[in-house]
Amino acid sequence: MDTDKPAKWPVPSVFMRVNLWFKSGMPELPEVEVTRRKIAPRLVGRVIAGVHTAPDSYFFLTKPPELKRRLVGRAVAGLERHGKYLVAALDDASRLLLHLGMTGQLFVQGSSSLRLLSSTSRATLKPEDQTAFTPDGHTHLRLAFEDGGPEVWFRDVRKFGKVLWIARGADDERLSRLGPDALTATGDLLWAASRGKTVAAKNLLLNQSVIAGVGNIYADEALFLSGVRPTRKAGKLTRKECDALAANIRKVMQRSIETGGSSISDYISPDGADGSYQDERQVYARKGQACRVCGTPIRKITLGQRGTHFCGVCQK
DNA sequence: ACCGCACCCTGAGCGC
DNA sequence: TGCGCTCAGGGTGCGG
């Protein structure tokens, strides 16, 4: 946050932190898992009575009219996570697939969170004036329930998120091609998947059919912790490096889930990045800052169209 | 088969 | 003050 300009309202430290989170808070596996844990108790066991949507867009892989037809009257039997996908099991054995994309927010009606406001509002609104979020044009899906309780809302500014209804017994390529979950990543898996591959190590980690759930932030972090340069050809990884990468992927994911869950009190984490893991980041969004291990400025390059951060000394 | 890259989208931030 | 530009990236799909 720019501290040179006077704020219209004294800015508490939490606001500054929120702004930092917003910059880098995109849903990867930990954010999706935290969202799942928070939303599941508010979803499972309830019967959908109404489906309200924003105008059709490519956000809807299943178009709104069909979505309404398929969902109304269904009870939610469970909420699972597959990589970065959330899958709600319905009582007729069909499924509702949700992906948060880059900016997706799944939360319960009545939530009030700074994250649901524009940065201007966050900076100027007095904390005591903050009220529960009301649906806006980015709120694409609202599920109402027969019990009359709070609705579950899906908001997504950039519409990179997805909603898809999957018929009973049907497979969906999005799910079936996912590799093992990142929380269970093993060196064996990475070793086998990387042999003979010329793709950059980072791009291998981002390939959801190899490991499901790794995104840009945690790929950079795991590579740093493993001492592997993101550009290294996957096929050149040693067995030990594969073991280290797998262990560090599990580590950063688990750590982020823990911190993500711990900082959420009375509202649902809307886009999942309310945790404090960003305080532990070693390289992501730290371009030019000193490596926490050797002091060398962190470098940033573009790899696979993604910002990629690494220490040129610690990562070989 | 594998790999690189364009594209979808909107808001923040910045230079002028 | 405001305009126009760049950047952010998950996943899909296509061309080489």
Side-chain angles (χ1 to χ4, degrees):
Chain A
M1 169 166 285
D2 189 344
T3 52
D4 294 336
K5 297 175 184 172
K8 292 180 182 176
W9 179 257
V11 180
S13 60
V14 64
F15 279 59
M16 302 172 69
R17 295 178 63 194
V18 162
N19 280 339
L20 286 173
W21 299 340
F22 201 76
K23 265 187 168 177
S24 58
M26 69 285 296
E28 298 189 25
L29 182 153
E31 291 76 16
V32 176
E33 175 62 17
V34 170
T35 298
R36 188 193 69 79
R37 293 180 185 183
K38 294 291 177 182
I39 286 290
R42 314 295 292 270
L43 200 56
V44 176
R46 303 179 76 189
V47 178
I48 298 170
V51 176
H52 308 281
T53 71
D56 187 23
S57 66
Y58 76 95
F59 175 87
F60 294 101
L61 295 179
T62 301
K63 296 307 173 190
E66 181 181 4
L67 208 51
K68 294 173 188 177
R69 208 163 59 236
R70 303 295 192 185
L71 296 184
V72 171
R74 298 274 61 78
V76 180
L79 185 64
E80 295 183 344
R81 181 188 57 75
H82 299 268
K84 302 176 201 173
Y85 289 94
L86 287 174
V87 180
L90 304 177
D91 61 353
D92 62 353
S94 66
R95 295 176 292 172
L96 182 66
L97 178 147
L98 306 169
H99 195 289
L100 300 179
M102 272 290 295
T103 52
Q105 303 169 307
L106 190 65
F107 56 100
V108 173
Q109 177 184 15
S111 301
S112 61
S113 169
L114 300 174
R115 310 287 237 85
L116 293 167
L117 305 172
S118 70
S119 67
T120 306
S121 300
R122 278 200 300 276
T124 57
L125 197 65
K126 301 178 183 180
E128 59 267 33
D129 288 344
Q130 288 164 23
T131 55
F133 172 77
T134 53
D136 60 5
H138 302 305
T139 309
H140 304 290
L141 181 65
R142 297 161 47 198
L143 299 178
F145 300 92
E146 283 187 355
D147 58 23
E151 299 182 359
V152 170
W153 293 349
F154 190 173
R155 179 175 186 256
D156 184 3
V157 169
R158 287 187 205 168
K159 295 206 284 271
F160 282 10
K162 293 283 175 285
V163 176
L164 172 70
W165 178 82
I166 304 172
R168 173 183 51 195
D171 281 329
D172 186 77
E173 270 296 300
R174 291 169 181 77
L175 295 177
S176 57
R177 66 173 167 237
L178 290 177
D181 197 84
L183 291 178
T184 65
T186 63
D188 280 341
L189 171 73
L190 277 180
W191 177 252
S194 60
R195 293 310 86 193
K197 299 291 173 58
T198 59
V199 68
K202 177 176 177 179
N203 289 342
L204 183 82
L205 300 186
L206 291 177
N207 186 338
Q208 301 298 297
S209 64
V210 174
I211 302 178
V214 180
N216 203 42
I217 297 176
Y218 298 106
D220 280 5
E221 295 298 315
L223 284 160
F224 173 83
L225 293 175
S226 306
V228 175
R229 200 172 287 222
T231 50
R232 182 105 68 82
K233 300 273 185 263
K236 299 285 191 182
L237 293 170
T238 66
R239 176 63 217 224
K240 280 190 175 180
E241 286 170 334
C242 288
D243 289 341
L245 278 169
N248 285 316
I249 286 169
R250 297 194 305 268
K251 177 180 167 184
V252 295
M253 295 282 171
Q254 284 162 355
R255 178 67 185 145
S256 184
I257 290 171
E258 290 166 12
T259 57
S262 65
S263 67
I264 298 165
S265 51
D266 59 343
Y267 63 86
I268 301 298
S269 172
D271 65 5
D274 286 300
S276 55
Y277 187 78
Q278 72 284 346
D279 298 335
E280 302 177 23
R281 283 200 315 256
Q282 302 295 312
V283 288
Y284 186 83
R286 295 195 67 241
K287 177 188 177 184
Q289 298 177 42
C291 169
R292 298 194 204 278
V293 172
C294 75
T296 306
I298 298 300
R299 293 171 56 188
K300 180 181 180 185
I301 61 173
T302 297
L303 187 59
Q305 315 227 188
R306 303 292 183 261
T308 298
H309 314 72
F310 66 98
C311 172
V313 173
C314 293
Q315 294 172 260
K316 309 296 185 188

